[in-house]
Amino acid sequence: MKLTRPERSWILYDVGNSAFILLVTTTIPILFREFAAAEGIAAAEASGLWASVTAAAVLVLAVLSPILGALADYSGMKKRLFTGALVLGLLGLAGLCLTGSAIAYLGFFIAARLGYSACNVFYDAMLTDVTTDARIDRISAAGYAWGYIGSCIPFVLGIAIIFTLPFGWTTIQATRISFALTGVWWVLLTLPLLRDVKQTHCLENRTGKISHAFKRLRTTFCKLKKDKQMLFFILAYFFYIDGVYTIMSLATTYGAEVGIDQTQMIPALLLTQVVAFPCALLTARAAGKWGVIPLIRLSILAYMGICAFGYQLDRAWEFWVLAIAVGMFQGGIQSLSRSHFGKMIPKEEANEYFGLFDIFGKAADFMGPAIVAFCAFVFHSSSFGILGLLVLFAAGFWLLGKSEHAAPNH
């Protein structure tokens, strides 16, 4: 399939920003644990703090997403808001490169995570601007697939610096340099999107955009309640994506808690990215033959197996097995969810609807880490929290079935 220039530039942004989220699942929490240990914070408490901060960041964005999305639907607003969110994310990442305090580190992480996630609200909505419904599954999957494999480039360079420690750098200094490399990578691969992607579907600009956006949101919520197919799908997404994001966000903190060495975890998570590349593309092809919903349900069942296996995880080889399993299903469940929703919504209100999509995704991303944090603080172990994710996946599986059999609203 030959890509258009806007499609290619849209995919390149995923390559850029995926490098940051790879840090979030690997070296960013590892460096936090170093600072926390130096300040006398226990391992389980550090896991709880990290999970709590992750939950807080996504909860804030869950509240803001529909408002930002509704504002971005007006002509000329999408790129302005996207750029503002990008600056916030990069400033937070710069702070992570500079601070040595565990508490300040958490604050900068919140800023970086908020900026990254807000960018994705607008980026996901741009999917309807760059391609057609007939190509949307494959373009969405290509974004995730190339994001997985492309993000490995700055990550491998950073890990090489950390392991070799050139110029007499300490491990902490080398880790900070790896963060800076990722920031530069993120910026450079954003430039094609800013140049080539245009807001083709939009609402007429007007005065009083904020008050009008709130009115539109109220109307959209009413429409969503009547459209059972979309309602059940977005509720299912709320539950199953919770587990997906929680596993992505807390993999290294949980692995460290059960005694897995970081020299085992980092290569294993890098393997996740490599495995995810072909699997995301193959899933998009398979969707054309077997349908989107059946493949998402298959991915949910796979994640339930991952949670059950992760509950008893305490050896390095088991972490490697889980890394491969996650790589096989991670890209497919994310890309097909995004493209399926993109086909269901009115294109001129894509940002508003993707803002709502994000509210369910980010609110769920709050719930999963909150469950893990609760178990870490109460039971002094995150294992029960990992097992608790089974309930969320089961709810998502059931609701997805209801969406599949509901009649669309016309």
Side-chain angles (χ1 to χ4, degrees), residues 241-264:
I241 210 66
D242 175 15
V244 175
Y245 287 160
T246 302
I247 289 168
M248 289 170 62
S249 299
L250 304 181
T252 52
T253 53
Y254 179 62
E257 182 184 327
V258 299
I260 311 299
D261 188 81
Q262 70 180 51
T263 58
Q264 292 283 343

Side-chain angles (χ1 to χ4, degrees), residues 185-200:
W185 178 266
W186 189 359
V187 169
L188 290 178
L189 292 177
T190 303
L191 297 178
L193 180 143
L194 293 175
R195 180 193 62 208
D196 299 328
V197 176
K198 310 299 181 185
Q199 189 171 357
T200 57

Side-chain angles (χ1 to χ4, degrees), residues 34 37 52 54 71 98 111 136 144 165 229 254 285 333 348:
E34 293 288 328
S52 299
T54 299
L71 287 173
L98 300 173
I136 197 169
Y144 278 112
L165 299 178
Q229 188 179 66
Y254 179 62
R285 286 180 176 272
I333 198 169
E348 69 278 2

Side-chain angles (χ1 to χ4, degrees), residues 280-336:
L281 295 175
L282 288 172
T283 301
R285 286 180 176 272
K289 184 175 181 180
W290 290 301
V292 170
I293 298 297
L295 285 173
I296 294 177
R297 297 185 86 186
L298 175 63
S299 298
I300 292 172
L301 290 174
Y303 266 102
M304 293 175 76
I306 287 167
C307 289
F309 189 78
Y311 168 71
Q312 57 79 55
L313 184 147
D314 60 1
R315 298 174 186 174
W317 72 265
E318 294 174 329
F319 194 88
W320 280 82
V321 169
L322 284 184
I324 294 169
V326 168
M328 290 173 65
F329 296 98
Q330 178 176 281
I333 198 169
Q334 290 179 283
S335 65
L336 292 181

Side-chain angles (χ1 to χ4, degrees), residues 33-43 45:
R33 296 188 76 91
E34 293 288 328
F35 292 148
E39 296 176 17
I41 300 172
E45 187 180 352

Side-chain angles (χ1 to χ4, degrees), residues 133-209:
D133 281 354
R135 296 163 62 90
I136 197 169
D137 286 336
R138 292 200 179 186
I139 298 302
S140 180
Y144 278 112
W146 286 104
Y148 290 136
I149 200 70
S151 65
C152 295
I153 297 171
F155 182 74
V156 168
L157 289 174
I159 292 300
I161 291 171
I162 292 170
F163 285 164
T164 59
L165 299 178
F167 310 113
W169 290 336
T170 65
T171 301
I172 289 178
Q173 288 173 327
T175 304
R176 288 169 170 165
I177 293 297
S178 75
F179 292 175
L181 280 174
T182 298
V184 172
W185 178 266
W186 189 359
V187 169
L188 290 178
L189 292 177
T190 303
L191 297 178
L193 180 143
L194 293 175
R195 180 193 62 208
D196 299 328
V197 176
K198 310 299 181 185
Q199 189 171 357
T200 57
H201 302 289
C202 60
L203 300 175
E204 288 295 323
N205 216 336
R206 54 172 295 157
T207 57
K209 285 191 285 287

Side-chain angles (χ1 to χ4, degrees), residues 202-274:
C202 60
L203 300 175
E204 288 295 323
N205 216 336
R206 54 172 295 157
T207 57
K209 285 191 285 287
I210 295 177
S211 60
H212 188 243
F214 276 103
K215 291 177 183 176
R216 286 173 43 226
L217 279 172
R218 186 168 60 249
T219 302
T220 301
F221 273 114
C222 291
K223 291 178 184 176
L224 187 61
K225 286 168 62 178
K226 294 177 182 178
D227 191 334
K228 298 301 182 186
Q229 188 179 66
M230 188 184 294
L231 178 62
F232 282 129
F233 174 75
I234 206 168
L235 287 173
Y237 178 76
F238 171 82
F239 284 103
Y240 70 71
I241 210 66
D242 175 15
V244 175
Y245 287 160
T246 302
I247 289 168
M248 289 170 62
S249 299
L250 304 181
T252 52
T253 53
Y254 179 62
E257 182 184 327
V258 299
I260 311 299
D261 188 81
Q262 70 180 51
T263 58
Q264 292 283 343
M265 288 192 292
I266 291 176
L269 291 171
L270 186 60
L271 179 61
T272 299
Q273 304 296 106
V274 175

